[in-house]
């Protein structure tokens, strides 16, 4: 009950300071204030959820005790003792969180760790340390004891050294990382020498399929929600759009109309619905991918004109059609507000293109055929699938990927199991 009460108090303090948390997050990361307010509630939901999990004496249903039979000389069986399986905290857990969700990615990791009885040390992104420091201050005010949850900030130059220390220090028993596949693989290699438990939520390149029987208006709304949240800078943003030939023109036209209505500007302005990219370098990367795609034969169907006064980190919402599967913007995660569209004819073709990818975090598709909804979702090689929906993250659902998108699960009752170990005890009594 003590752990649960601390997490609940932490969540309550976040609610009491929600506006300040949202403002700091927007000023630091650039995301629209409305999205920052939403993230505060999303971050709180993990603390509330794992507060409830913390009171389960068996560790989310993982412990048990049963008598065991043994074979006597006469062939009969009788109880000899008891088999017990208990759940115990893994131990010191180190977390590395990204900049795109500077609050929620910390509570999604620290919440289950504390609920399980672990101590936690977290490193926020060097791009968004102030959001994390504010969150840590609220944790301290909630009464979380000194040393139970600690925060380490680092510069870009020292970040790698912190990761190496987390992975190689024998006191650390668990690593949780959200970030790129390249860095995740490096951390896994470094952690292998001390055989640490790892949770890795790595890169994505989500497909978004629109079938011929889809409600096109619904599909457009789902696409807008998935693609342009945080200016396309989330690991579950739709990147590769596959649209059936029969609805391609209708979908593209309606999506274009919605894109033209986006209010792009500084995140702190109330009317803004899409803010800047995280850095000028990020804008250059997205711009280079768009240029290369056009050189490969893509068509610039829509691109908003932005004022030069917005600054060097803003990239205009863009729609490309006829995108080549050989283009980098198709093969790799975009992390920007660009819709890359290709058409298809058959379900089998769409499935082959969708799964022709080394990562498998999230996938989306739109259909009104219930049989197809079940069939296609089971065949997609992704850890999470949204059907007729563009946003599906929630504290009560398991979050994780397949293939190069990582290992382990965050969120849901499965999330706390990442911080628990099962011990078998036999008692001859």
């Amino acid at each position: 009950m003590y752990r649960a009460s601390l997490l609940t108090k932490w969540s309550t303090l976040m609610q009491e300071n929600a506006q300040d948390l949202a403002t700091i997050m927007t000023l630091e990361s650039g995301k629209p204030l409305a999205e920052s307010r939403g993230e505060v509630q999303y971050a709180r939901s993990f603390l509330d959820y794992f507060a409830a999990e913390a009171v389960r004496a068996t560790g989310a249903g993982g412990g048990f005790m049963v008598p065991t039979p043994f074979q006597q000389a006469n062939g009969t069986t009788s109880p000899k003792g008891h088999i017990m399986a208990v759940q115990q905290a893994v131990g010191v857990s180190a977390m590395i969180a990204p900049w795109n969700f500077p609050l929620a990615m910390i509570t999604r990791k620290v919440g289950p760790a504390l609920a399980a009885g672990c101590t936690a040390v977290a490193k926020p992104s060097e791009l968004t340390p102030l959001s994390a420091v504010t969150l840590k201050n609220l944790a301290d005010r909630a009464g979380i004891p000194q040393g139970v949850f600690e925060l380490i900030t680092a510069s870009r130059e020292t970040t790698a050294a912190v990761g190496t220390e987390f992975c190689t220090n024998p006191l650390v028993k668990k690593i949780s990382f959200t970030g790129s596949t390249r860095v995740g693989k490096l951390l896994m290699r470094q952690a292998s020498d001390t055989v640490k438990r790892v949770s890795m939520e790595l890169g994505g390149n989500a497909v978004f399929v629109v079938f011929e029987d889809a409600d096109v208006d619904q599909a457009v709304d789902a696409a807008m929600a998935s693609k342009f949240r945080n200016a396309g800078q989330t690991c579950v943003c739709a990147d590769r759009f596959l649209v059936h030939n029969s609805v391609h023109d209708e979908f593209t036209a309606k999506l274009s109309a919605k894109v033209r209505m986006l209010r792009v500007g500084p995140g702190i302005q109330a009317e803004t619905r899409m803010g800047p990219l995280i850095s000028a370098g990020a804008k250059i990367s997205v711009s280079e991918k768009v240029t290369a795609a056009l050189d490969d034969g893509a068509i610039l169907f829509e691109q908003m004109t932005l004022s030069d006064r917005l600054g060097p980190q803003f990239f205009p919402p863009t729609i490309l059609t006829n995108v080549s599967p050989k283009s980098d913007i198709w093969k790799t995660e975009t992390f920007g507000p660009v819709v890359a569209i290709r058409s298809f004819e058959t379900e089998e073709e769409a499935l082959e293109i969708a799964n022709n990818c080394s990562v498998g975090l999230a996938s989306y598709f739109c259909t009104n055929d219930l049989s197809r909804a079940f069939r296609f979702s089971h065949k997609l090689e992704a850890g999470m699938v949204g059907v007729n929906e563009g946003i599906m993250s929630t504290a009560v659902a398991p979050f994780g990927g397949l293939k190069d998108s990582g290992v382990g699960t965050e969120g849901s009752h499965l999330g706390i199991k990442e911080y628990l170990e099962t011990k078998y005890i036999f008692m001859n009594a």
Side-chain angles (χ1 to χ4, degrees), residues 134-198:
T134 307
L135 184 66
K136 173 62 166 62
N137 288 339
L138 295 177
D140 292 342
R141 287 172 53 189
I144 294 176
Q146 185 177 3
V148 172
F149 168 41
E150 295 296 339
L151 196 71
I152 294 178
T153 58
S155 66
R156 184 182 298 274
E157 291 74 23
T158 58
T159 285
V162 174
T164 299
E165 179 65 21
F166 281 174
C167 291
T168 58
N169 192 313
L171 294 177
V172 176
K173 304 301 180 184
K174 159 81 180 183
I175 298 289
S176 177
F177 171 74
T178 297
S180 72
T181 297
R182 179 188 64 82
V183 174
K185 289 180 176 180
L186 173 62
L187 295 176
M188 290 178 73
R189 286 194 294 269
Q190 291 178 340
S192 65
D193 282 344
T194 46
V195 196
K196 300 188 193 304
R197 294 273 295 272
V198 297

Side-chain angles (χ1 to χ4, degrees), residues 394-409:
T394 170
V396 303
F399 190 106
L402 306 180
K403 301 195 284 191
D404 282 3
S405 285
V407 294
T409 299

Side-chain angles (χ1 to χ4, degrees), residues 101 140 163 207 272 293 304 350 368 387:
F101 290 95
D140 292 342
V207 72
T272 294
M304 183 181 290
N368 279 324
V387 183

Side-chain angles (χ1 to χ4, degrees), residues 240 350-359 379-382 403:
R240 300 173 295 147
L351 182 66
E352 181 180 358
I353 296 173
N355 288 339
N356 185 23
C357 187
S358 62
V359 294
K379 291 180 180 179
L380 281 170
E381 295 173 358
K403 301 195 284 191

Side-chain angles (χ1 to χ4, degrees), residues 293-294 297-302 318-323 339:
L294 294 173
I299 298 170
L300 184 63
F301 188 88
E302 179 72 48
T318 301
I319 299 176
L320 302 177
T321 59
N322 194 42
V323 176
V339 179

Side-chain angles (χ1 to χ4, degrees), residues 41-214:
Q41 301 308 316
Y42 183 44
R44 289 185 61 236
S45 71
F46 290 105
L47 300 181
D48 293 337
Y49 183 86
F50 288 109
E53 289 294 310
V55 302
R56 302 177 192 272
T58 57
F64 60 86
M65 182 171 69
V66 295
T68 179
F70 77 100
Q71 195 77 21
Q72 293 185 335
N74 61 5
T76 62
T77 60
S78 61
K80 178 186 178 184
H82 285 82
I83 290 174
M84 290 194 300
V86 297
Q87 298 282 298
Q88 296 183 328
V90 169
V92 179
S93 300
M95 296 95 170
I96 302 175
W99 52 263
N100 54 351
F101 290 95
L103 296 184
M105 294 304 95
I106 292 179
T107 60
R108 192 167 77 179
K109 299 173 188 298
V110 175
L114 299 190
C118 300
T119 54
V121 54
K123 192 203 84 66
S125 168
E126 65 276 13
L127 298 175
T128 53
L130 299 181
S131 298
V133 169
T134 307
L135 184 66
K136 173 62 166 62
N137 288 339
L138 295 177
D140 292 342
R141 287 172 53 189
I144 294 176
Q146 185 177 3
V148 172
F149 168 41
E150 295 296 339
L151 196 71
I152 294 178
T153 58
S155 66
R156 184 182 298 274
E157 291 74 23
T158 58
T159 285
V162 174
T164 299
E165 179 65 21
F166 281 174
C167 291
T168 58
N169 192 313
L171 294 177
V172 176
K173 304 301 180 184
K174 159 81 180 183
I175 298 289
S176 177
F177 171 74
T178 297
S180 72
T181 297
R182 179 188 64 82
V183 174
K185 289 180 176 180
L186 173 62
L187 295 176
M188 290 178 73
R189 286 194 294 269
Q190 291 178 340
S192 65
D193 282 344
T194 46
V195 196
K196 300 188 193 304
R197 294 273 295 272
V198 297
S199 298
M200 297 281 159
E201 191 266 283
L202 307 179
N205 189 10
V207 72
F208 191 106
V209 183
V210 183
F211 285 103
E212 68 272 22
D213 55 17

